[in-house]
Amino acid sequence: MPGEVRLIGGRWKRSKLPVLRHAGLRPTPDRVRETLFNWLGQDLGGWHCLDAFAGSGALGFEAASRGAAQVLLLERDAKLAASLRAVQQRLGAAQVRVEAADAIAWMARHSGALFDLVLIDPPFEAALWETALAAGRRVLAAEGWLYLEAARAFDEAALAPHGLALHRHTRAGRVHAHLLRPASGAEAGA
C-alpha cells in the first residue's frame, strides 16, 4: 500500500494525501479516479458531495479540488478522521467537512438536503455493498450520481432493488468502478 496518493486534477492537483497503515484501507487507484472524474466531468462547481467511507479522502478531496461547493467526508476510525482533518486544514479546503461517523448509520438517519454525488467505497473485506447502496440511495438527489467501488460487478438486476441504474462500469485489477443514477421512475430517498 502506498504511503501517499496524489490528487490528479483541479485546484489541488498533485497535492499529496497521506495513506495511513490501517486494516481495510485501500485508496482508489489513480487510474480509477481519473476515469470517474472523466465520466462526471472535470468541473463539479456547486455540487454537494458525500464521501461515505472516506479512508484516505482521495475521492472526496478530488471532488473538492474540482470545485464541489460542499464535501462531507465520513470516516468511522478516529485516527483516519484526524488525518482527514489535517489534510483539510493544510489545503485550506473550507468546503470540506470531516465527521467521525459510521457511514451506514449516518446515511440511515440523515434527514437534510440530498447529495448530487454520493461516493461509496467501503472496505472490501466488510462486504457492505448492498447495505451501503441502500443507505446511499436514500441520500441521493433525484438527478444525482452514485459511485460504487466493489470487488465484483453489479449489474442491472442487482441494482434494481435499490432504485439504481448502471450508467458506466470499468474494472482495474480487483476494483470494479460503477457510476450509477436513480432508475427511471424511482423516487429520491426510496
Side-chain angles (χ1 to χ4, degrees):
M1 182 169 59
E4 62 189 23
V5 294
R6 289 181 188 264
L7 295 178
I8 56 174
R11 178 179 177 190
W12 298 304
K13 183 177 182 175
R14 294 186 200 89
S15 294
K16 296 176 183 177
L17 305 179
V19 177
L20 304 180
R21 292 194 180 278
H22 188 276
L25 182 61
R26 177 198 38 75
T28 300
D30 290 0
R31 186 171 118 210
V32 174
R33 278 186 286 128
E34 184 173 7
T35 298
L36 170 62
F37 288 97
N38 284 339
W39 288 345
L40 292 170
Q42 301 300 314
D43 182 5
L44 304 186
W47 290 31
H48 293 227
C49 305
L50 172 65
D51 187 350
F53 297 85
S56 70
L59 290 170
F61 282 112
E62 197 75 59
S65 184
R66 294 163 188 266
Q70 293 181 348
V71 179
L72 174 59
L73 305 176
L74 299 178
E75 177 49 57
R76 182 173 65 181
D77 184 86
K79 272 178 109 170
L80 294 176
S83 177
L84 293 169
R85 285 187 191 99
V87 171
Q88 184 268 340
Q89 290 191 357
R90 178 174 50 85
L91 295 176
Q95 74 274 46
V96 174
R97 186 169 58 106
V98 178
E99 192 170 323
D102 177 271
I104 292 172
W106 188 96
M107 290 186 285
R109 72 175 182 272
H110 178 70
S111 60
L114 299 177
F115 294 92
D116 302 301
L117 175 61
V118 176
L119 302 157
I120 295 179
D121 179 15
F124 281 10
E125 300 75 33
L128 295 172
W129 301 296
E130 296 288 342
T131 306
L133 277 174
R137 176 64 180 98
R138 208 182 152 278
V139 300
L140 182 64
E143 298 296 319
W145 297 98
L146 190 145
Y147 171 74
L148 172 68
E149 200 166 301
R152 66 178 177 90
F154 279 74
D155 61 15
E156 294 290 346
L159 296 168
H162 302 290
L164 294 164
L166 183 64
H167 181 72
R168 299 271 179 108
H169 170 264
T170 192
R171 181 178 181 185
R174 66 180 271 221
V175 174
H176 287 268
H178 308 78
L179 187 58
L180 312 173
R181 299 278 334 230
S184 299
E187 294 294 316

